[in-house]
Amino acid sequence: MRTIDLRGRELSPADMLAAIPRAAQARAEALDAAIRIVDDVRDRGEEALREQAERFDGVTGHDLRVPTSHLSDALDELSSDVREALEEAIRRVRVASAAQVPPPQVTQLGPGARITQRWQPVHRVGVYIPGGKAVYPSSVIMNVVPAQVAGVEQIALASPPQADQGGRIHPTILAAAALLGVTEVYAMGGAGAIGAFAHGVPEIGLDPVDVVSGPGNNYVASAKRAVTGVVGTDSEAGATEILVVADASADPRLIAADLVSQAEHDEQASAVLVTDAPDLAVRVAAEVERLAAATRHRARVAAALAGEQSAIVLVDDRAMAVAFSNAYAPEHLELHLDDADDAASAFTSAGAVFVGDHTPVSLGDYMAGSNHVLPTGGQARYAPGLGAYTFLRPQQVISYDRAALAAVRRGVVALAESEVLPAHGEAIEARFTA
């Protein structure tokens, strides 16, 4: 991992953003490619999806629309320990997601003047589950459960076909879908799947959705950007990021383990340590080198840690660490600080904040009850992670009776005249003239 030394520098907000380690070129290239793939699916439908499956997944002749028997077979063959873990994760995410659905609120502005704020679920959702380098039944839970809690009526799921499964989706993904009662499943991957959800593919019975959600690589995240405006999307949950803020009290072994754990996702994964303790930085670097060499996916981890998106960042003090973290706005933020509970409130821009030595990102990936589909690429400065609210639309319902309208009659007419929109005022007056 390279070292970025910011000590002794006065950095403006723009300077801080410029110092952030990101693979900007890779993201730009991903967007160009994703747009082409999405447009191809829009224009050529099933034919494009099959060509993409052969090109990217090495699969031909597979069932694009997954037969229900594949789902039931996968659930029957699921090991009891994995099923038990999935069921507990489902329970925890369902409880946490329920807290994200606001109750209706009625505001009485006066006699006969009422506004009701309600949250309406979208009708149809497409959830994307990555495949290839890892298997993500946990992402099935993180996407489907919040949509169900929000009250979504139709949920379609897509995941890449696997060459080593004879063109089927990985059975653990299918089993998780079956556990949740999802029956509309498609074996299609990457940016093409996002395009298929957005535009529909009539040849395989896939209707367009209202919202697309789910994590993926930078191509999947870029495809979401390409379809924004056609459908709603969650945040662009691309290649994973972990930023650890640590002081001299932190355990370098635990920090290194957490950096490596996220680097194993993908060669484009970002692993960053920010610290004001130079001795800790040296010890973490040594631990990372040791663990990275011994882990199963050592080549992938080494590529991620050597990439321009990963670094050890040295800062002067806590204030500079906070400023850097909030500018970076990481997907996952871990706080290894002697006062982590108290310090957490200062770290305002992150997809999720993991506080203290015993709250690693891996916990959030599976069993914390929080959602692991989170914004990447700095979007946590303005975008939330996935939740039940992703599938809800706030909607105002206005109800005035005649007396309540009369009470504001003069004001509406006056404002209409001031805006040179006299018909607006005339619409009010029409209700008080014979």
Side-chain angles (χ1 to χ4, degrees), residues 91-117:
R91 185 190 70 80
R92 288 172 175 260
V93 175
R94 200 175 295 281
V95 170
S97 297
Q100 299 166 348
V101 181
Q105 297 287 338
V106 178
T107 303
Q108 200 75 37
L109 293 165
R114 182 176 69 251
I115 297 177
T116 301
Q117 180 74 59

Side-chain angles (χ1 to χ4, degrees), residues 11-12 28 30 54 58 115 122 155 159 174 214 219 242 270 283 285 299 340 350 374 389 391 424-425:
L11 299 176
S12 68
E54 182 175 8
I115 297 177
V122 299
I155 301 174
S159 191
L174 294 177
Y219 294 94
I242 180 173
S270 301
R283 293 160 64 199
L374 301 165
Y389 41 74
F391 309 107
H424 283 58

